[in-house]
């Protein structure tokens, strides 16, 4: 997919999963949801063979379409868009996706035939969104080539070197889960699913079995799901952790955050989930997860969309945490790079990925030096050129 050209083929044997929209039901713009993001579902997966997949078309799709790319005139590449279902929060970004208005772009859409819409369901959804009087521009303005393919639960097909498998999920009016097996590993995208239907619960487990990355609906708390939100078609962090544990998934990503869940509430949900399962992330706009060669660990990179307020810093700090070997440590260091969401810290110790760190910084105040205590978790670990040092990326939660 490109806006004025084409993407460049990846040369490294890795897959990259980018999160452009992570919120469920409706977009949010209030400050209390700023850290994790307020755009509705949209993910991008770039496979090792260069194939580009887009998962769902919520408002995050607009952000994906507006990113800058290197022009390469005269070339063309087909992008594959997998749509889980037709509720507004999963399709409302389509009219605002700039690459659909560029003539030399090509897109192939995949989704199911709705019993409410019949044949060409996805094409009908396209046309209805842009019909008078709902949108000022009609479909004729979209000059990119578009193809639509109907798929159903249990289907398997190949795109390039990648195998795609589908499964029905438990959601009002129907929903598909997708598994993409690439040469670098597997990604399962299973949003908008409510546990409780034995057949569909088993379908989800089969889809997620052994997945390297399992993106699962975590919109509600277990308490909400057992009472006021029962039957609404969503899951909880606890159900996701249980499935991940049962089927041997390697990393769980909590997704489709409720519009009423503040960043602090998502922090709490993430903390609870990590008490049940070893490797868990809460989806955040701008977060990128990289899958390397088989056997290499999954890495998550700090959200690029939140680094605009990052500043170079020079704070003395004391860091407390747990090493990869499980030993507690304390260390004095300097914080060199600080943002509202996280920091990059140079340490002699190598903390465990996703473990919690406590960072105590000394900052100048009106009464002299003051202490600022922050808690966060480790999202990235890199070796540094300086011998014996580790560069540690931390996302703050407190």
């Amino acid at each position: 997919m490109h806006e004025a050209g084409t993407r460049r083929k990846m040369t490294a044997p890795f897959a990259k999963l980018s999160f452009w929209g992570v919120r469920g039901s409706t977009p949010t713009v209030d400050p209390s949801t700023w850290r994790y993001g307020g755009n509705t579902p949209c993910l991008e997966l770039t496979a090792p063979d260069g194939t580009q997949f887009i998962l769902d078309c919520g408002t995050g799709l607009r952000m994906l379409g507006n990113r800058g790319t290197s022009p390469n005139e005269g070339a063309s590449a087909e992008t594959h868009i997998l749509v889980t279902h037709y509720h507004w929060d999963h399709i409302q970004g389509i009219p605002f996706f700039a690459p659909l208005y560029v003539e030399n772009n090509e897109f192939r859409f995949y989704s199911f035939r709705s019993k409410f819409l019949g044949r060409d369901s996805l094409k009908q959804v396209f046309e209805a969104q842009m019909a008078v009087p709902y949108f000022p521009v009609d479909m004729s303005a979209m000059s990119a080539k578009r193809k639509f393919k109907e798929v159903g639960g249990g289907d398997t097909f190949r795109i390039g070197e990648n195998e795609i498998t589908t499964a029905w999920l438990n959601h009002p009016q129907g929903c598909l889960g997708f598994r993409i097996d690439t040469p670098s590993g597997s990604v399962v995208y299973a949003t908008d699913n409510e546990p409780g239907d034995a057949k569909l619960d088993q379908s989800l487990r089969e889809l997620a079995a052994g997945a390297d990355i399992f993106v699962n609906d975590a919109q509600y708390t277990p308490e909400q799901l057992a009472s006021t939100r029962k039957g609404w078609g969503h899951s909880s962090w606890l159900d996701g952790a249980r499935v991940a544990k049962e089927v041997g998934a390697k990393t769980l990503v909590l997704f489709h955050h409720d519009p009423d869940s503040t960043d602090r509430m998502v922090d709490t949900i993430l903390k609870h989930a990590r008490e049940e399962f070893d490797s868990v992330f809460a989806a955040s706009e701008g977060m990128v997860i990289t899958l390397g060669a088989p056997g290499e660990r999954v890495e998550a990179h700090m959200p690029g969309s939140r680094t605009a307020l990052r500043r170079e810093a020079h704070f003395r700090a004391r860091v407390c945490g747990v090493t990869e070997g499980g030993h507690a440590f304390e260390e004095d260091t300097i914080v060199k790079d600080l943002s509202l969401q996280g920091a990059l810290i140079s340490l002699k110790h190598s903390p465990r990925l996703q473990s919690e760190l406590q960072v105590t910084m000394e900052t100048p105040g009106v009464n002299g030096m003051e202490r600022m205590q922050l808690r966060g978790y480790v999202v990235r670990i890199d070796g540094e050129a300086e011998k014996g040092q580790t560069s540690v990326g931390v996302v703050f939660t407190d």
Side-chain angles (χ1 to χ4, degrees), residues 358-374:
Q358 179 175 303
V359 182
T360 304
M361 291 191 291
E362 292 185 353
T363 60
V366 292
N367 299 317
M369 298 300 292
E370 298 179 357
R371 287 189 172 187
M372 177 169 59
Q373 289 192 332
L374 299 169

Side-chain angles (χ1 to χ4, degrees), residues 138-209:
D138 63 29
M139 287 285 291
S140 64
M142 286 188 173
S143 54
K145 299 179 180 66
R146 305 181 302 278
K147 299 176 183 177
F148 301 90
K149 180 179 176 61
E150 287 187 351
V151 295
D155 288 351
T156 298
F157 52 98
R158 295 192 68 84
I159 298 175
E161 298 177 1
N162 315 286
E163 184 174 88
I164 294 84
T165 305
T166 65
W168 292 117
L169 302 178
N170 188 24
H171 193 67
Q173 291 96 52
C175 183
L176 284 174
F178 292 97
R179 179 186 179 114
I180 304 175
D181 286 290
T182 80
S184 291
S186 54
V187 175
V188 172
Y189 179 60
T191 185
D192 292 65
N193 176 70
E194 181 170 344
D197 182 297
K199 183 178 179 180
L200 296 179
D201 286 350
Q202 180 60 26
S203 178
L204 173 62
R205 281 163 171 75
E206 292 174 0
L207 189 74

Side-chain angles (χ1 to χ4, degrees), residues 185-366:
S186 54
V187 175
V188 172
Y189 179 60
T191 185
D192 292 65
N193 176 70
E194 181 170 344
D197 182 297
K199 183 178 179 180
L200 296 179
D201 286 350
Q202 180 60 26
S203 178
L204 173 62
R205 281 163 171 75
E206 292 174 0
L207 189 74
D212 292 286
I213 301 172
F214 175 35
V215 182
N216 189 67
D217 186 309
Q219 179 157 349
Y220 300 137
T221 65
E223 294 76 20
Q224 287 176 316
L225 195 55
S227 56
T228 57
R229 298 296 186 266
K230 187 175 179 61
W232 289 24
H234 296 285
S235 186
S236 74
W237 62 266
L238 181 57
D239 292 290
R242 286 173 174 170
V243 171
K245 189 181 299 185
E246 289 174 15
V247 304
K250 296 179 178 63
T251 294
L252 170 66
V253 181
L254 307 176
F255 186 72
H256 210 271
H257 308 310
D258 191 80
D260 292 328
S261 290
T262 65
D263 290 332
R264 294 273 184 175
M265 293 168 70
V266 177
D267 290 340
T268 300
I269 288 170
L270 177 60
K271 182 179 180 180
H272 289 323
R274 286 184 167 161
E275 292 170 353
E276 295 289 330
F277 191 69
D278 291 337
S279 181
V280 188
F281 293 100
S284 176
E285 281 182 33
M287 184 171 78
V288 177
I289 298 180
T290 302
L291 273 171
E296 293 185 5
R297 70 185 183 191
V298 169
E299 292 188 355
H301 302 271
M302 292 173 64
S305 62
R306 301 295 187 265
T307 58
L309 295 179
R310 176 172 285 147
R311 295 290 185 269
E312 290 186 4
H314 194 83
F315 294 113
R316 287 193 298 176
R318 168 157 290 197
V319 179
C320 304
V322 179
T323 67
E324 287 185 306
H327 301 293
F329 73 88
E330 286 191 20
E331 180 179 335
D332 292 322
T333 185
I334 301 294
V335 175
K336 299 178 180 178
D337 191 351
L338 181 68
S339 74
L340 290 180
Q341 185 177 17
L344 192 64
I345 303 174
S346 181
L347 295 174
K348 295 177 182 178
H349 292 87
S350 182
R352 181 188 301 158
L353 190 66
Q354 298 192 46
S355 64
E356 185 179 271
L357 292 184
Q358 179 175 303
V359 182
T360 304
M361 291 191 291
E362 292 185 353
T363 60
V366 292

Side-chain angles (χ1 to χ4, degrees), residues 54-66:
I54 295 175
L55 301 167
D56 274 333
C57 300
T59 56
L61 185 67
R62 183 182 71 87
M63 306 300 292
L64 170 57
N66 289 345

